[in-house]
Amino acid sequence: MTATAQPSGPRLAVTPGNPVPEGVRLGYFTTSDKVRLRYALWPKSKAPLRGTVCLVQGRTEYIEKYFETVADFQARGFAVATFDWRGQGGSDRLIGNRHLGHVDRFDDYWTDLRCFHADILLPDCPPPFYLVGHSMGGLASLYAAARDRMMFDRMFLSAPMVGLYNREGTLGGPAAFAEILTFLGLGRLPMSRREDRQPEEAGFEGNPLTSDEGRYRRMVHTLRADQSLYIGSPTFSWIGTAFRAMIDAEKDRFAAQLRIPMLILAAARDTIVSTPTIEQLGLRLRTGHHVVIPSARHELFMETDVVRGQVLAAFDAFITEQSP
């Protein structure tokens, strides 16, 4: 079933196994370059008020996927603010095929986050502000930290996309090829991959995202409830600009620009992003460190209770216990 917050406003896809946390406020905001993005706000559910968690998602993700995690943050005394990146979730799609992952420039994600911070977080949410970012959202968050160290008090990143599994040091060629195709006007074509097919229940065995079958099925049922949320293959434009962003993030000068206190979590069994590259970044941080979570696959917040317990314990030690 689908829950509608207001007749003319954005909707949330809600299923029996994935209830929306209480107190949600939904809306749209428009970025400085005229892209309409869907957002959601939640109040804290328990005292004391500790500030606001700004939750930013990975590629292909959407607000509904994080209902359980939102409730976890609420129960710790945090308000929660989140939005769908341009080109995915309930936000504006940028090309005709709405199931392709596309962006013109990786900097466009900086525009999304900067506008969300200015237009929604600052006026509508209680400070201090803590950013929690996953995968591609983690990489976009790192670029935001390099540009404005005052936006957030602390950052907590889950398997940030700073490199790809088994592709360490080899992204330059594919990035250049994708950039050439984009220059030739072919940037909106997809790079079709088997792993980008819409997930089905039968695909749980051996999936790279989570070892928790219940949470995997929850994701499948949410996408069935609202097919418009599904994002599959990336376009060559997305590949070119995202690969170039990862290449730049590996450089020493990039790590030197990161001055916000941060904790980066990596998944020991990640086969999507490069755990060794995350570790190298963690070792170069001046105001942060990293931790590798044993037995975890890529989506740490969607993992088993044992893994999620470790993730939330790390969050508590780094953010909850350090908040006012």
Side-chain angles (χ1 to χ4, degrees):
M1 62 182 178
T2 300
T4 303
Q6 46 192 348
S8 60
R11 300 178 304 166
L12 287 173
V14 181
T15 66
N18 191 37
V20 59
E22 292 186 5
V24 66
R25 173 184 149 198
L26 282 175
Y28 291 117
F29 72 99
T30 302
T31 64
S32 57
D33 58 345
K34 309 304 180 185
V35 180
R36 190 181 70 165
L37 306 184
R38 182 180 68 158
Y39 75 91
L41 304 179
W42 281 270
K44 70 177 181 67
S45 61
K46 291 186 179 180
L49 176 61
R50 299 182 182 276
T52 300
V53 168
C54 177
L55 177 61
V56 296
Q57 316 149 12
R59 192 187 87 83
T60 80
E61 295 189 322
Y62 39 87
I63 291 170
E64 292 88 340
K65 192 169 179 177
Y66 285 89
F67 283 170
E68 180 184 21
T69 301
V70 167
D72 290 330
F73 293 148
Q74 283 185 291
R76 285 162 166 77
F78 294 97
V80 181
T82 188
F83 67 95
D84 292 328
W85 297 111
R86 65 181 63 205
Q88 62 188 59
S91 294
D92 281 351
R93 302 299 168 91
L94 307 175
I95 58 177
N97 187 339
R98 64 176 293 110
H99 296 304
L100 296 181
H102 177 80
V103 74
D104 292 322
R105 305 175 308 148
F106 201 81
D107 265 1
D108 291 341
Y109 294 129
W110 158 244
T111 299
D112 292 350
L113 182 56
R114 175 171 49 82
C115 291
F116 183 66
H117 184 273
D119 297 343
I120 306 299
L121 273 181
L122 286 177
D124 296 340
C125 300
F129 302 128
Y130 304 103
L131 185 138
V132 174
H134 174 64
S135 196
M136 185 202 78
L139 179 60
S141 300
L142 288 167
Y143 272 88
R147 290 183 166 122
D148 186 350
R149 64 184 182 88
M150 303 302 293
M151 287 179 71
F152 299 99
D153 285 67
R154 288 178 175 238
M155 284 189 169
F156 183 87
L157 304 183
S158 159
M161 190 186 74
V162 293
L164 298 182
Y165 175 72
N166 273 353
R167 298 297 301 271
E168 293 85 0
T170 66
L171 296 182
F177 178 70
E179 288 166 342
I180 290 171
L181 291 180
T182 300
F183 178 76
L184 295 175
L186 303 176
R188 297 188 175 192
L189 294 178
M191 190 187 82
S192 298
R193 308 177 302 174
R194 177 180 297 181
E195 58 265 35
D196 291 320
R197 292 181 298 186
Q198 183 166 340
E200 296 291 341
E201 291 180 351
F204 169 72
E205 194 67 32
N207 83 88
L209 303 179
T210 175
S211 53
D212 187 282
E213 187 169 4
R215 291 185 173 98
Y216 181 88
R217 290 179 182 272
R218 184 179 68 193
M219 175 182 63
V220 171
H221 296 162
T222 300
L223 290 175
R224 282 182 185 169
D226 188 350
Q227 293 281 333
S228 70
L229 295 175
Y230 165 66
I231 289 290
S233 299
T235 63
F236 283 106
S237 175
W238 187 93
I239 290 170
T241 193
F243 280 26
R244 189 62 61 189
M246 284 185 271
I247 292 168
D248 289 343
E250 288 192 57
K251 297 175 181 176
D252 289 339
R253 59 176 172 78
F254 180 81
Q257 294 174 305
L258 303 175
R259 300 299 180 90
I260 296 177
M262 67 177 65
L263 175 61
I264 301 178
L265 302 189
R269 297 176 60 198
D270 204 325
T271 58
I272 293 181
V273 304
S274 169
T275 294
T277 304
I278 294 173
E279 292 183 281
Q280 288 301 312
L281 174 62
L283 292 171
R284 296 199 302 269
L285 291 176
R286 296 184 179 184
T287 58
H289 56 284
H290 72 282
V291 175
V292 179
I293 305 297
S295 303
R297 298 183 194 178
H298 179 62
E299 295 195 350
L300 291 164
F301 286 109
M302 311 299 159
E303 260 289 3
T304 63
D305 288 346
V306 171
V307 171
R308 289 187 88 251
Q310 296 176 68
V311 173
L312 292 171
F315 175 86
D316 287 338
F318 186 65
I319 292 183
T320 306
E321 296 170 8
Q322 306 302 320
S323 61

